[in-house]
Amino acid sequence: MNRHDVVIVGAGAAGLNAALLLGRARRRVVVIDAGEPRNAPARHMHGFLSRDGLPPSELLELGRAEIARYGVRLVRSRVERIDHGFTVRLADGQVLDARRILVATGLRDELPGIPGIRERWGQDVLHCPYCHGYEVRDQPLAVLGTHPGAVHQALLLRQWSDDVLFLRHTLDLAAEDRERLECHGVRVVEGTIARLAVEDDRLRGIELADGRAIPRAAVFLFPRMVPQDELLTGLGCARDDSGWTVTDRTGRTSVSGVWAAGNVVDPRAQVVTAAGMGSAAAFAINGDLTEEDVRRSVERRVLDGESR
């Protein structure tokens, strides 16, 4: 069984940035990469200083090369479970032993079952105005009423376009929200969405069940975000009232020796935020390991003295 200081589960921005710092701290680290990044459908990422506009896959490639320079091992596999103590069992049969665990497995976006949504996700069907709003600025936009968070999304998008429609679809829209949208220049459109109209690999608009066609250049929706936290749950980490794992500012969970960072604990974290969370966790983990190392050194000295 391979003994490591830290096993990091997840090789996105949070996991890789933590691995980078821990590798530079000369810790023995392994990163488990299941190869399913949340932002894989996106062509570019934004809002990351010095990396704005870079394809997400290139960022991960650069990160993997950087951690390798410091002796961090990357394993392409999936973690089946983590036993208390921490024995990490992988889908390919490998078994790793860790002193500390960092879970950075992200979340999954559950999308509405409207034809065309999943196929265009990350291209011209978008979620984050801060990530993609500038690229579709001054174009006719639509926000789909598939989630209560869509109202705030539509209000935000008025910063990027004067032509924003809110398609109510099946959302029960409160009178106050309707007033806020209309007063802020967002027109509310009634009617159930039938499908997205796509032609020549490009979104052309939205078709409603009553036959109306609404031309739009891009569509925003608020997905249901589900943390991929089965490993944290299996370890007994506490959750808050919303169902998300509770951590302190460093990512430390309620279970001793277990940290979590990135979208698995914060659905609002962008790539740059997740990287910062990984950095904070790495500092805390290394400090925790150092305290344990010092304590063991003191204990050995005491034992050596008693044996003389």
Side-chain angles (χ1 to χ4, degrees), residues 1 16 29 75 84 107 154 165 189 194 223 234 297 299 301 308:
M1 190 159 54
L16 290 177
V29 182
V75 175
H84 290 278
L107 60 78
L165 300 181
V189 177
S297 295
E299 290 171 353
R301 183 174 182 179
R308 290 173 187 165

Side-chain angles (χ1 to χ4, degrees), residues 5 14 16 36 41 48 58 69 125 171 208 249 258 296 304 307:
D5 288 317
L16 290 177
E36 298 174 350
F48 198 140
E58 289 189 26
R69 293 206 299 265
V125 176
L171 186 67
L208 302 183
R249 294 178 62 185
V258 180
R296 289 178 176 176
D304 288 343
S307 63

Side-chain angles (χ1 to χ4, degrees), residues 84 86 99-101 237 252-259 288:
H84 290 278
F86 300 112
R99 296 173 64 191
R100 301 292 185 273
I101 296 290
C237 298
R252 189 192 302 262
T253 72
S254 62
V255 174
S256 179
V258 180
W259 273 258
D288 196 49

Side-chain angles (χ1 to χ4, degrees), residues 12 31 72 74 81 157 168 185 202 205 213 230 247 250 269 294 297 302:
V31 179
V72 175
L74 184 77
R81 75 174 192 270
L157 281 168
R168 191 176 68 81
R202 182 179 173 185
E230 294 83 3
T247 65
T250 73
V294 171
S297 295
V302 171

Side-chain angles (χ1 to χ4, degrees), residues 8-59:
I8 298 173
V9 187
L16 290 177
N17 210 52
L20 178 63
L21 269 73
L22 289 165
R24 286 177 54 80
R26 308 188 75 179
R27 292 295 181 183
R28 191 168 183 224
V29 182
V30 62
V31 179
I32 313 301
D33 183 8
E36 298 174 350
R38 178 193 181 195
N39 59 3
R43 294 178 177 140
H44 305 95
M45 65 174 201
H46 297 280
F48 198 140
L49 188 65
S50 83
R51 292 293 181 264
D52 189 74
L54 189 74
S57 59
E58 289 189 26
L59 178 74

Side-chain angles (χ1 to χ4, degrees), residues 142-274:
V143 176
L144 308 189
T146 57
H147 186 284
V151 172
H152 179 66
Q153 201 175 41
L155 294 170
L156 276 180
L157 281 168
R158 283 287 283 110
Q159 295 174 221
W160 286 273
S161 175
D162 292 332
D163 185 0
V164 180
L165 300 181
F166 186 88
L167 278 66
R168 191 176 68 81
H169 190 49
T170 57
L171 186 67
D172 186 11
L173 190 62
E176 180 184 358
D177 284 335
R178 183 184 294 271
E179 181 181 26
R180 295 173 70 225
L181 288 166
E182 292 176 348
C183 288
H184 200 54
V186 178
R187 185 161 63 91
V188 178
V189 177
E190 299 291 340
T192 304
I193 300 165
R195 69 181 186 93
L196 301 188
V198 179
E199 183 180 335
D200 297 328
D201 195 32
R202 182 179 173 185
L203 177 71
R204 299 299 179 181
I206 303 154
E207 294 184 7
L208 302 183
D210 60 13
R212 283 179 292 164
I214 301 175
R216 296 285 97 176
V219 165
F220 283 76
L221 64 84
F222 203 107
R224 179 173 179 263
M225 301 177 192
V226 181
Q228 299 185 133
D229 60 358
E230 294 83 3
L231 296 175
L232 294 169
T233 301
L235 288 166
C237 298
R239 293 183 176 188
D240 61 22
D241 292 340
S242 299
W244 292 80
T245 299
V246 177
T247 65
D248 67 9
R249 294 178 62 185
T250 73
R252 189 192 302 262
T253 72
S254 62
V255 174
S256 179
V258 180
W259 273 258
N263 283 148
V264 71
V265 291
D266 185 356
R268 298 166 297 179
Q270 293 183 297
V271 177
V272 65
T273 315

